[in-house]
Amino acid sequence: MCSYTSTPSSHHGAPLLPSLDIFKPFFIEAPGGVKIRCATFDADPAARTRGVCVLLQGQSEFMEKYQEVIDELRGRGFTVATMDWRGQGGSQRGQSDPLKSYVKNYDDYAEDFAAFMAKVVTPLTNHPPIVLAHSMGGHNTIRAVHDHPDWFRCAVTTAPMLKFSTRGYPQSAARAAAALYNALGKGGDFAWGMAERDPFKVGFDSQLVTSDRTRFEATQALLRKDPDLRLSGPTWGFIEAAYRSLALVNAPGYPESISTPMLIVGAGKDRIVLTEAERSFVKRLPHGEYLEIPEAEHEILMEQDSIRAKFWTAFDSFVGKYVP
């Protein structure tokens, strides 16, 4: 049976309060005046202090969804700093329809990331933090460690976005469609089928990201409590911007010049991104390690206990090399 709050730890008799009980989000301003929702969570005082972990979500996600992960990191001695990317969660949305996922250029995410590091993370620590990032957050982390090799001691990414799964469509056709719709001025339109991906229309049997029904339903309960957090799916503009960024990170010499140690954890049953691209990418990293969990769907951190246990074992082993 899975749990959604940390196992209470005691420090002089005081239990560690679950992250949602102490959740006090605040906003910072990114370039262009975009409001980015952030939060920090102190480490468990009963644990050995190990610094700061930056936690970054994937496309369409939000901070509250990661409550269990936050408490697991706090129990490992990390203060957690996290945020919602622009256009999702509680951060400022850029479209009149708040259910549309849109970004003009992934450089916008890089600017959000830099503002978050400067205004939220740097004041928390005198030492480089670590980072744990999922999917689109993993993609943005790869760009960050390439451009800012001094930001992190090490990086862990789960199912990082390195190549889309087009689920039956040829890759070339999907790429051409994105370019065409944007050329026609329809970058703000939902991509094929994405209008029907409103979380309130998608049940466990039709979702594509986890085999754990209980954790899936826990996320749905959070969205029912605060419907403004939900996001349907990407627009053609988002996809076009993503393709340009994918070309950048996969270009010759790009991963080869990343000096930050990185663990990539792939999902063997991923239906959102292509795991084979992660296998290829990690071979090009000077300090890369790879774990594939064959039975995992895309959201490894939202998976069944046995799958998550494999992840945390790998996380502890890898991070332990760089953080005492």
Side-chain angles (χ1 to χ4, degrees), residues 89-243:
S91 290
Q92 184 173 331
R93 310 265 172 127
Q95 297 290 293
S96 57
D97 182 349
L99 293 181
K100 289 182 175 180
S101 181
Y102 177 83
V103 69
K104 185 176 182 179
N105 193 304
Y106 268 50
D107 290 349
D108 293 342
Y109 290 140
E111 291 181 347
D112 296 346
F113 203 161
F116 173 69
M117 292 295 293
K119 297 181 180 183
V120 178
V121 179
T122 298
L124 292 175
T125 177
N126 294 321
H127 304 286
I130 69 170
V131 57
L132 170 58
H134 174 63
S135 195
M136 187 187 79
H139 176 95
N140 293 338
T141 294
I142 287 169
R143 290 187 48 158
V145 297
H146 176 274
D147 296 345
H148 306 280
D150 59 335
W151 270 9
F152 299 108
R153 278 183 277 183
C154 63
V156 179
T157 64
T158 57
M161 188 186 80
L162 292 166
K163 192 173 184 180
F164 293 134
S165 171
T166 51
R167 296 194 287 277
Y169 294 104
Q171 288 282 342
S172 58
R175 180 68 183 89
L180 176 61
Y181 275 88
N182 279 274
L184 293 174
K186 296 182 179 296
D189 290 359
F190 274 121
W192 298 324
M194 292 299 104
E196 299 306 313
R197 301 304 293 179
D198 182 334
F200 287 169
K201 299 179 181 178
V202 178
F204 179 75
D205 293 335
S206 58
Q207 56 83 37
L208 304 172
V209 295
T210 180
S211 63
D212 191 286
R213 182 183 292 272
T214 308
R215 286 189 172 90
F216 174 81
E217 294 297 345
T219 298
Q220 294 296 94
L222 290 169
L223 292 172
R224 287 192 294 270
K225 182 178 180 181
D226 189 353
D228 290 341
L229 291 174
R230 76 192 200 280
L231 197 65
S232 289
T235 56
W236 289 114
F238 177 94
I239 293 174
E240 174 63 19
Y243 271 123

Side-chain angles (χ1 to χ4, degrees), residues 249-268:
V249 301
N250 287 296
Y254 195 97
E256 288 82 359
S257 63
I258 293 174
S259 59
T260 303
M262 180 177 292
L263 170 65
I264 294 178
V265 182

Side-chain angles (χ1 to χ4, degrees), residues 260-283:
T260 303
M262 180 177 292
L263 170 65
I264 294 178
V265 182
K269 294 184 176 180
D270 206 320
R271 290 177 282 176
I272 305 299
V273 300
L274 294 185
T275 306
E276 63 189 42
E278 297 157 15
R279 297 188 203 113
S280 299
F281 189 87
V282 76
K283 293 176 182 177

Side-chain angles (χ1 to χ4, degrees), residues 7 24 57 74 165 179 211 224 247 262 304:
T7 301
K24 295 181 179 179
Q57 63 198 239
R74 295 170 68 209
S165 171
S211 63
R224 287 192 294 270
M262 180 177 292
Q304 297 182 42

